[in-house]
Amino acid sequence: MALVLYRKWRPQTLSEVVGQEPVTRTLLNALATGRVAHAYLFFGPRGTGKTSTGRILAKALNCLQNETGEPCNACEMCLSFNEGRAVDLIELDAASHTGVDNIRELIEKANFMPTAAKYKVYIIDEVHMLSTSAFNALLKTLEEPPPHVIFILATTEVHKVPATITSRCQRFDLRRIPLPAMVERLQFIAQAEGIIADPEALTLIARAATGSLRDAENLLEQMVVHHGLRIETDLVRRELGLTGGSRIRELAKALLTADIPAGLALINAVAADGLDIRQFNREFVEFLRSLLLVKCGAEEMANLGAEELADIKSSISRIPLQKIARAIKLFAQADFRYAPQSTLPLELALVDYASEEGKETGLQSEPPKKPIASPPPATEPEPAEKAAPTPPIVQRIAPPPDGSPIEHIQAHWNDFIKACKGTPGQLDALLRGSCKPLAIEDETLILGFFAKSKFQKSKVEDHRYLTVLSGKLEEVFGKRYMVRCVLIGEENRPPPPPLTQSRMVKEALDHGAQIVNEEYIR
Ligand SMILES: [Zn+2]
């Protein structure tokens, strides 16, 4: 079956564009009243209709019998656009043509009148990929556009487009396509193509596409190519190996086992695939919520299939309810206001969760609870929960008069990390287990971060953290050092302490336990 569904079913009018009503309505209004801008910027996740909308706009602007705002799709001009032979529509993929020469060449041509159409329309896709000099060349034309030229810029990463460019464009934000609209479109296509699909199968496909209609159409096509025209729910579930859905489950697993490297890799893979990271987080929180509901025994509210429910039940059987609740809080509070497409809020939530987790696993040298049999302590110990937020009292660790300063810092590094508790941005969590002091050169402390702790290094290198770190070094070691971070091999990571050093293990051995196997969980 030789068809590329997303091309074949590309919308030909603005009203056919799925799930972007606010944008298409505004454009229709502008077209109907002849208020045309010279530069448009379409921003949105991949597969949400940016270039499709741009092409329809270009066609509508040049349609010979446009009365309502929509292109007629019947005149010679519309036909030339639909058949891909309109010479006055120039498309450039900035991802593969980033250089200034490409833009110069394009802009030189902009000064010539259109060959056949009223307007010469330039669509520059992934415009954020242009080089700085290419942006500057584009800016000159945007400042004084020839009257017959219209620019349509499209991007998935609007924050990388210079403000001088965006301020000269009329901007439209395309949203991820809502699930019902996507399912409806898939149903329409399936019917037209003679595909027999369970409604639930189409819903799964739409959900897996996380808001990208192109992804959904490609998935549907993949199903047809592999399995023919009959598409059943179970089949879809099995095929959806590599989509957001499975990533969400993998991230949940990495999170609940406090596997930071795996979690960070997943979050970044999602971003690299161009998925909307906020939407991914929403779905992730929604998934964690279903874990919570199952854990509470309210599984009928979780909206899960029988198979998935069984899977989830077994995977969370050993995870306490409070941990799931804490994970939900951290991820639900991920703040994207300052960086809508950044992975950082999720990375921070993950690290926050895992570093709290580290405190509970007993690998830190916190005093263990008294065994029940021991005599009552003289004073009532404060409950651990309450003690946690109080910053510890900082004790000055003065260097021995004749010792080497670096050896002194190395020897007291763990105490230093403890003293960092309560600092802004949880410096202690970033330092713990991620680095070690290597040397002092010209009053600068060289901190070596292990290869798998690149994330922590990139955080600590931020000047705000460096300032806090310098201040804390002075407070603890009595001398102000600058700090430089370097990356060192994973082999430099100190081996985990032998189990027998853990007080909890000692206690158990004293009570007659035997060690049968050692497994180190980071
Ligand atoms: Zn027309």
Side-chain angles (χ1 to χ4, degrees):
M1 168 164 182
L3 76 168
V4 179
L5 288 181
Y6 88 86
R7 275 202 207 117
K8 183 172 175 188
W9 293 99
R10 196 168 252 164
Q12 297 300 350
T13 62
L14 287 169
S15 52
E16 275 175 34
V17 175
V18 176
Q20 306 295 357
E21 288 75 16
V23 172
T24 51
R25 206 182 309 122
T26 312
L27 284 173
L28 270 176
N29 252 324
L31 284 163
T33 53
R35 282 175 291 115
V36 178
H38 277 280
Y40 293 88
L41 177 67
F42 291 130
F43 161 55
R46 58 192 284 273
T48 50
K50 297 184 294 296
T51 46
S52 293
T53 309
R55 284 186 191 146
I56 299 167
L57 175 62
K59 181 169 63 176
L61 286 165
N62 284 311
C63 170
L64 302 173
Q65 38 196 340
N66 184 335
E67 280 163 13
T68 58
E70 289 279 24
C72 73
N73 285 315
C75 73
E76 172 51 29
M77 194 55 70
C78 282
L79 292 178
S80 74
F81 273 84
N82 287 350
E83 289 159 15
R85 53 181 174 83
V87 285
D88 293 309
L89 174 68
I90 300 113
E91 294 194 42
L92 180 87
D93 179 12
S96 47
H97 303 85
T98 55
V100 66
D101 291 344
N102 298 118
I103 283 290
R104 274 223 191 93
E105 193 191 323
L106 187 137
I107 281 162
E108 267 164 30
K109 286 185 194 149
N111 290 318
F112 296 105
M113 293 300 285
T115 312
K118 191 173 166 197
Y119 294 105
K120 205 169 212 169
V121 183
Y122 288 89
I123 298 181
I124 307 180
D125 199 11
E126 299 298 355
V127 68
H128 64 273
M129 301 284 278
L130 289 180
S131 64
T132 310
S133 46
F135 269 130
N136 286 336
L138 176 63
L139 184 60
K140 276 189 203 134
T141 312
L142 282 184
E143 278 168 340
E144 281 175 65
H148 58 268
V149 167
I150 287 170
F151 282 98
I152 298 173
L153 314 179
T155 180
T156 47
E157 299 186 58
V158 77
H159 60 283
K160 290 186 183 163
V161 181
T164 44
I165 302 274
T166 52
S167 66
R168 284 181 172 78
C169 298
Q170 192 171 349
R171 172 173 159 172
F172 289 96
D173 288 9
L174 280 79
R175 57 181 178 180
R176 316 191 118 266
I177 298 161
L179 193 68
M182 191 127 73
V183 174
E184 197 184 315
R185 182 71 180 169
L186 289 179
Q187 259 156 1
F188 174 80
I189 294 174
Q191 204 160 22
E193 293 285 343
I195 302 166
I196 304 153
D198 298 342
E200 201 190 338
L202 294 181
T203 306
L204 283 177
I205 290 176
R207 188 171 286 145
T210 58
S212 163
L213 183 60
R214 183 164 70 226
D215 283 0
E217 288 167 346
N218 283 340
L219 268 173
L220 177 64
E221 175 157 330
Q222 200 181 310
M223 293 292 163
V224 173
V225 169
H226 291 166
H227 306 285
L229 291 169
R230 179 90 187 87
I231 295 177
E232 282 159 7
T233 311
D234 279 351
L235 188 71
V236 175
R237 200 167 275 142
R238 262 182 283 136
E239 283 277 304
L240 293 182
L242 280 172
T243 54
S246 71
R247 292 252 173 83
I248 281 171
R249 279 151 189 76
E250 282 172 49
L251 181 58
K253 192 177 157 208
L255 176 76
L256 295 172
T257 54
D259 185 347
I260 301 185
L264 291 175
L266 268 165
I267 292 168
N268 283 280
V270 168
D273 285 357
L275 295 178
D276 183 324
I277 204 82
R278 300 175 70 154
Q279 177 64 20
F280 178 79
N281 188 42
R282 267 179 234 126
E283 288 175 24
F284 183 58
V285 171
E286 188 56 33
F287 179 69
L288 291 177
R289 174 178 169 266
S290 59
L291 299 189
L292 186 86
L293 291 171
V294 172
K295 192 79 194 174
C296 295
E299 53 199 54
E300 70 285 355
M301 288 163 67
N303 215 2
L304 296 163
E307 202 178 312
E308 191 172 20
L309 182 63
D311 259 11
I312 285 178
K313 269 188 175 167
S314 75
S315 64
I316 60 171
S317 61
R318 285 155 176 269
I319 294 165
L321 181 63
Q322 301 93 303
K323 285 194 183 179
I324 302 174
R326 193 158 57 78
I328 294 179
K329 268 186 216 153
L330 283 169
F331 280 83
Q333 287 166 0
D335 187 351
F336 290 93
R337 267 175 303 173
Y338 304 105
Q341 305 285 346
S342 165
T343 51
L344 186 61
L346 291 195
E347 292 164 342
L348 281 177
L350 174 71
V351 171
D352 272 2
Y353 177 87
S355 54
E356 278 291 311
E357 198 67 355
K359 287 178 201 158
E360 287 166 21
T361 55
L363 285 169
Q364 315 304 325
S365 55
E366 280 181 29
K369 283 179 189 138
K370 293 269 174 202
I372 299 163
S374 72
T379 53
E380 194 70 15
E382 249 189 285
E385 294 267 321
K386 272 192 181 170
T390 329
I393 299 154
V394 176
Q395 279 193 329
R396 175 71 66 87
I397 308 168
D402 50 353
S404 107
I406 184 62
E407 281 173 15
H408 178 63
I409 291 178
Q410 283 165 340
H412 292 96
W413 187 242
N414 284 337
D415 300 317
F416 174 72
I417 291 176
K418 266 182 240 164
C420 289
K421 207 169 166 188
T423 49
Q426 296 193 315
L427 189 56
D428 58 323
L430 289 170
L431 296 176
R432 187 174 301 121
S434 66
C435 61
K436 66 177 186 185
L438 294 180
I440 292 170
E441 291 171 8
D442 299 331
E443 321 248 301
T444 300
L445 174 68
I446 317 289
L447 265 188
F449 282 80
F450 311 117
K452 283 185 182 164
S453 302
K454 263 189 207 154
F455 168 78
Q456 284 89 335
K457 174 173 176 279
S458 68
K459 292 303 296 171
V460 173
E461 275 178 328
D462 186 302
H463 70 274
R464 282 166 300 184
Y465 279 103
L466 286 181
T467 312
V468 177
L469 189 52
S470 281
K472 211 71 198 175
L473 284 168
E474 184 175 18
E475 204 176 300
V476 175
F477 295 111
K479 182 165 164 52
R480 195 165 184 89
Y481 292 102
M482 306 285 281
V483 177
R484 189 151 61 83
C485 304
V486 297
L487 211 56
I488 57 174
E490 198 60 29
E491 69 279 4
N492 293 293
R493 194 185 283 278
L499 273 178
T500 43
Q501 272 183 22
S502 149
R503 290 210 218 171
M504 212 188 280
V505 174
K506 267 189 212 153
E507 203 85 50
L509 292 174
D510 287 350
H511 285 80
Q514 276 188 334
I515 295 176
V516 291
N517 184 23
E518 286 191 24
E519 208 175 318
Y520 184 60
I521 304 164
R522 281 196 45 79

